[in-house]
Amino acid sequence: MAFNTCVSVIRSASHKAQMIHNQDVQAVSTDVINADELWSFVKKSKSTVNRKS
């Protein structure tokens, strides 16, 4: 299969998955949010920026 064909199929599937995810997540009610992964990303990004300065 050609590279561009694979990329096109993956992008299309990704877009559809994102639409389904967004629709399902809006219906989820939460009382507590766990942001460990987000904190790790922010902390890592901050460290990366500091190293480049």
Side-chain angles (χ1 to χ4, degrees), residues 43-53:
K43 193 173 182 181
K44 181 176 175 150
S45 295
K46 185 177 178 183
S47 297
T48 303
V49 170
N50 287 339
R51 277 188 249 145
K52 290 181 182 178
S53 297

Side-chain angles (χ1 to χ4, degrees), residues 16-27:
K16 180 67 174 178
Q18 186 67 50
M19 290 175 56
I20 292 170
H21 175 265
N22 290 346
Q23 183 180 11
D24 290 343
V25 169
Q26 289 179 358

